[in-house]
Amino acid sequence: MDDRGVAPVVGKALEAGIVLLYVGAVAAAMYGSVVPDYQTTAGDAVAERALAAAAADVEGAIPADVRAATVRVDIPLPATIRGRAYSVEVENRTLVLDHPDPDVNARVRLSLPDSVTDVSGNWSSATSAVVVVAREHGETTVRLEAR
Amino acid sequence: MRAQLNLPALGVALLLVTAATGVSLAVANGAFAAAERDPIADHAATALADRLVAADGPLAVRKNVLGADAVAAFDSPRLRSLVGERGAVVRLNGRVVARAGDVADPRTMRRLVLVATVENRTLTPRVERGAAVTLPRRTDRVTVTLDPPAGTVVRAVRVNGRTVLSNDDGLRGTFALDSSRVRTTTVEFDATDRLPAGSITIEYAVERTEKGVLGVSVDA
Amino acid sequence: MRRAQLSLSAVEAGVGVLLVFAVTTGFVLGSPAVAGDAQLDAYATDLGAVLANDAPRHGDATRLTEVTRSPSGFERESTALAERINRVLPENLMYRVETAHGTIGYPRPDGVAYGVARHATPYGTVTIWVWYG
């Protein structure tokens, strides 16, 4: 009976302690390297999809055969990507998503008819986004505005 | 002697769990890669296809109806100006219409279209007083050349019941008139006497359409 | 008594591995959304636009207008409409066209991705479904 090294309870406690240490170490390793990478990649994918959908909505907002019209379309954008706010700018008829994380970005070229003369404005994820298309005097302008 | 503080077994167990976690991470990577789409390339293909098929597009005569000569004249610089920097190729019924750059990983969008060729036909009818000429095919544009003989005056011309030309002193010359593509067109002449063959020439444009599939591929 | 003890660590390890694989299965079974709906929707919209170009055998402005105008209009034009759709639509696609006065085409199967478009005429709406089949 005296050959026992340690009492069983203490042995189990030691094992439990080792396992907890191990789990803690693995969790720390994952949160240090693997998880942020996954979050960034997922954030990039979300940014691309959101911007592509927004671009399709903007293109769909252009009215067809009317001489004069004003169209306002609400554009749903996610409130945050990867937990942070972002903005959408216009650069040369291309929507550009601006995010504080340098690995999260997206650019979508807008495919607009030749009658569209100007595309301007920007969206911020903090406010509801709307696109205003105004056609008058033969000119069609597209503006990204906050609601 | 009971097993106690079974460290080797614990070590093996932890190793097993680590291996399982590693496999799980690999599977997660694979699943993510499989689910990865390129929504921006898909959008580029869809938007280019929409543009080409739209009524105000560079190829279209009407919505989903492409003009045969516009399609023949569509070239690489024009495609490049529509699509930006990506590689793209546009096909009609499988044959390439225009190509800009290389398309290594194609995202394709197909649209059903009609390809319209316009044929001009001419009628030189003899019109009795008060009679109307019914055009055998639908058209949206009619060109009427009036050359009535001496002593006969054409006072008015009506298309589908609507007066489009009117001059009490007499009409003479060539006039382009609008008509409706969705109705049969009748042209009436309000003249003082019957008009013999040759005094009226009616030219009208008939559209012949063929079905087609427009394929738009962009490089991802 | 010399019974072999079931090594508790082995059981614990087994449970741990099972839990991890349960999470893994979540990754494997989570299937991404069916792509290609945009293409089918485009086919359906295009079919409406192309049919709207056709002159009917009798009467009204286009075949689609005639088919929505009245039950007798539908009777007269529906066969010609079906033939026209068969010529225009690519071979691998099936269709269903529904108007207030009747339906032509095939019954819609369940669980299959399909595209839908609605085309307005002065007398009513024509709904077109298209799917691969």
Side-chain angles (χ1 to χ4, degrees), chain B residues 51-54 56-61 65-68 70-74 90 97 214:
Chain B
R51 197 93 293 287
L52 291 178
V53 148
D56 55 359
L59 295 183
V61 163
V65 178
L66 309 181
V71 169
F74 193 58
V90 174
V97 169
L214 185 74

Side-chain angles (χ1 to χ4, degrees), chain B residues 24 62 64 110-112 211, chain C residues 13 24 39 46 53 61 87:
Chain B
S24 181
R62 283 190 301 285
N64 282 80
R110 289 195 179 80
R111 306 298 297 260
L112 306 176
K211 67 175 175 74
Chain C
T24 312
Q39 173 70 82
D46 287 343
N53 263 285
R87 282 208 305 275

Side-chain angles (χ1 to χ4, degrees), chain A residues 32-124:
Chain A
S33 65
V34 171
V35 169
D37 279 347
Y38 277 154
Q39 282 178 327
T40 306
T41 319
D44 193 51
V46 168
E48 286 193 349
R49 282 172 209 229
L51 203 63
D57 288 341
V58 167
E59 287 158 3
I62 315 276
D65 261 340
V66 191
R67 194 171 310 144
T70 309
V71 180
R72 296 177 74 94
V73 176
D74 287 335
I75 308 283
L77 285 176
T80 58
I81 292 181
R82 206 182 176 321
R84 303 175 73 177
Y86 58 95
S87 69
V88 176
E89 317 273 330
V90 174
E91 232 175 72
N92 194 12
R93 293 191 171 211
T94 307
L95 290 182
V96 179
L97 191 138
D98 224 343
H99 190 274
D101 186 332
D103 287 323
V104 174
N105 47 39
R107 300 179 68 97
V108 179
R109 189 172 186 280
L110 288 173
S111 172
L112 300 168
D114 291 335
S115 59
V116 172
T117 47
D118 183 54
V119 185
S120 59
N122 57 53
W123 288 320
S124 154

Side-chain angles (χ1 to χ4, degrees), chain B residues 40-169:
Chain B
I40 300 189
D42 285 339
H43 166 264
T46 308
L48 179 59
D50 280 343
R51 197 93 293 287
L52 291 178
V53 148
D56 55 359
L59 295 183
V61 163
R62 283 190 301 285
K63 189 161 175 307
N64 282 80
V65 178
L66 309 181
D69 27 358
V71 169
F74 193 58
D75 56 359
S76 173
R78 191 76 177 92
L79 177 59
R80 173 60 69 204
S81 75
L82 287 176
V83 81
E85 288 167 1
R86 283 177 196 272
V89 62
V90 174
R91 292 188 178 86
L92 184 61
N93 296 330
R95 303 223 331 271
V96 173
V97 169
R99 186 189 288 276
D102 280 321
V103 180
D105 179 17
R107 300 298 156 106
T108 307
M109 194 67 182
R110 289 195 179 80
R111 306 298 297 260
L112 306 176
V113 292
L114 296 173
V115 182
T117 19
V118 171
E119 224 174 70
N120 286 313
R121 304 216 184 142
T122 311
L123 277 180
T124 42
R126 190 183 61 190
V127 182
E128 305 296 326
R129 238 192 116 193
V133 181
T134 305
L135 300 183
R137 297 291 300 277
R138 292 181 167 194
T139 178
D140 60 357
R141 196 139 194 80
V142 177
T143 307
V144 163
T145 307
L146 295 167
D147 185 20
T152 312
V153 164
V154 178
R155 282 198 293 256
V157 177
R158 279 189 290 280
V159 173
N160 290 341
R162 197 168 45 98
T163 306
V164 291
L165 299 171
S166 163
N167 188 341
D168 282 333
D169 294 330

Side-chain angles (χ1 to χ4, degrees), chain A residues 3-6 8 11 14-15 18-19 22 30 34 38 41 48-49 52 55-56 59 107-109 111-114, chain B residues 1-2 4-7 10 14 17-18 25 28-29 32 35 37 39-40 43 47 51 56 78 81-84:
Chain A
D3 284 357
R4 277 203 307 219
V6 190
L14 258 172
E15 284 186 11
I18 294 178
V19 170
Y22 166 80
M30 296 250 275
V34 171
Y38 277 154
T41 319
E48 286 193 349
R49 282 172 209 229
E59 287 158 3
R107 300 179 68 97
V108 179
R109 189 172 186 280
S111 172
L112 300 168
D114 291 335
Chain B
M1 304 293 101
R2 292 219 297 258
Q4 46 197 305
L5 194 55
N6 203 344
L7 273 177
L10 181 64
L14 288 180
V17 173
T18 314
L25 283 178
N29 262 334
F32 194 88
R37 241 162 265 299
I40 300 189
H43 166 264
R51 197 93 293 287
D56 55 359
R78 191 76 177 92
S81 75
L82 287 176
V83 81

